[in-house]
């Protein structure tokens, strides 16, 4: 699946000001944030370094270049960023090949949105190789397009991935609902001008203007997302 599609003009779900739903992947649709941390701990252990648990909140939700770069600097490990990126992706892929649990409510939400022909895009800081593996479990058919972190010049927390996704769907960012689990992703979506639903996975996220916080996707459905456009 490619990261962009031709814009075919603005599309809306019938009777709703909501034009599209843009969803994060790790920690939002699939329960994998812990997989990334486990892979990081394992790789750095082989390099002779123990990771501080407090660093988990620093690296969660970030692009590979930021999280891996932080860990190299924090530990002083003798490894380059490209070398570490390969090892982390390999470790993560190994874990998702054994188990890939969906987050509570994810399957039902995707099915409901698809049943009502709501345009959807998957927007992740993970690399394309990871997204394509995970899509086999989530269901690639749910999404008109996907955006990977290694396919944009600036990924989250910059707005670029969400602006690209909205443009690809042919919808207005302000009429999109974004579902995210980390502060990094929330910052990207808000910078793009989208309405945000935060479903915190590792670190808490406070409510704010234009942002709604819920404990799980089981609290999110199409009428809920449509209601965000009236706030």
């Amino acid at each position: 699946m490619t990261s962009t599609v031709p814009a075919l003009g603005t599309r809306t779900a019938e009777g709703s000001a909501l034009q599209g739903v843009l969803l994060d992947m790790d920690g939002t649709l699939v329960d994998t944030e812990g997989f990334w941390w486990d892979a990081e701990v394992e790789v750095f252990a082989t390099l002779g370094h123990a990771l501080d648990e407090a660093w988990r909140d620093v690296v969660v939700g970030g692009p590979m270049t930021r999280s891996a770069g932080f860990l190299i600097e924090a530990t002083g490990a003798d490894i380059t960023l490209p070398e570490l990126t390969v090892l982390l992706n390999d470790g993560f892929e190994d874990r998702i090949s054994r188990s890939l649990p969906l987050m509570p409510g994810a399957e039902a939400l995707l099915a409901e949105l698809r049943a009502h022909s709501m345009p959807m895009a998957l927007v992740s800081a993970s690399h394309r190789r990871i997204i394509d593996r995970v899509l086999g479990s989530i269901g690639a058919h749910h999404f008109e397009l996907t955006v990977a972190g290694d396919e944009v010049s600036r990924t989250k927390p910059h707005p670029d991935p969400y602006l690209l996704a909205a443009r690809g769907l042919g919808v207005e960012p302000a009429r999109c609902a974004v579902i995210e689990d980390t502060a990094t992703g929330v910052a990207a979506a808000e910078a793009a001008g989208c309405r945000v639903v935060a479903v915190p996975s590792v670190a808490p996220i406070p409510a704010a203007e234009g942002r709604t916080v819920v404990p799980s996707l089981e609290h999110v459905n199409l009428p809920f997302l449509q209601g965000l456009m009236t706030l």
Side-chain angles (χ1 to χ4, degrees), residues 3-13 17-22 118-121 144-145 162-176:
S3 62
T4 59
V5 296
L8 300 178
T10 299
R11 298 179 293 172
T12 63
L18 178 67
Q19 296 179 346
V21 179
L22 315 178
M118 175 59 64
M120 285 185 281
E144 276 77 6
L145 65 98
Y162 282 112
L163 293 174
L164 176 63
R167 186 165 64 248
L169 291 179
V171 300
E172 303 170 35
R175 291 298 180 181
C176 288

Side-chain angles (χ1 to χ4, degrees), residues 1-228:
M1 181 173 290
T2 57
S3 62
T4 59
V5 296
L8 300 178
T10 299
R11 298 179 293 172
T12 63
E14 185 176 355
S16 171
L18 178 67
Q19 296 179 346
V21 179
L22 315 178
L23 302 106
D24 174 55
M25 187 178 76
D26 294 301
T28 299
L29 293 178
V30 288
D31 192 6
T32 51
E33 290 292 10
F35 288 6
W36 281 114
W37 178 248
D38 291 345
E40 289 160 350
V41 168
E42 182 179 85
V43 168
F44 276 90
T46 65
L47 297 172
H49 298 276
L51 300 188
D52 189 323
E53 184 70 22
W55 296 341
R56 185 171 183 171
D57 289 353
V58 178
V59 300
V60 67
M64 180 73 73
T65 52
R66 190 199 74 185
S67 57
F70 168 82
L71 292 174
I72 291 174
E73 182 175 353
T75 61
D78 184 20
I79 189 170
T80 67
L81 184 58
E83 290 170 339
L84 180 57
T85 296
V86 171
L87 293 177
L88 292 178
N89 277 324
D90 287 346
F92 183 81
E93 279 197 82
D94 177 63
R95 284 164 172 77
I96 64 175
S97 69
R98 289 180 267 143
S99 173
L100 187 57
L102 296 181
M103 297 297 287
E107 186 174 5
L109 176 61
L110 291 174
E112 180 186 14
L113 295 176
R114 175 53 56 217
H116 288 84
S117 300
M118 175 59 64
M120 285 185 281
L122 186 70
V123 184
S124 177
S126 289
H127 289 188
R128 170 56 54 189
R129 60 179 282 196
I130 299 298
I131 289 180
D132 286 346
R133 286 289 299 274
V134 174
L135 279 173
S137 296
I138 299 177
H141 63 283
H142 290 301
F143 306 102
E144 276 77 6
L145 65 98
T146 62
V147 177
D150 57 340
E151 295 172 340
V152 290
S153 58
R154 300 191 309 170
T155 188
K156 305 173 187 179
H158 298 287
D160 307 37
Y162 282 112
L163 293 174
L164 176 63
R167 186 165 64 248
L169 291 179
V171 300
E172 303 170 35
R175 291 298 180 181
C176 288
V178 169
I179 304 178
E180 273 280 0
D181 73 303
T182 67
T184 299
V186 166
E190 291 179 343
C194 304
R195 292 283 183 172
V196 178
V197 178
V199 191
S201 61
V202 175
I205 300 173
E209 184 177 354
R211 178 196 311 166
T212 304
V213 181
V214 297
S216 84
L217 291 180
E218 294 170 305
H219 294 258
V220 181
N221 56 23
L222 181 56
F224 176 91
L225 296 174
Q226 291 170 333
L228 298 178

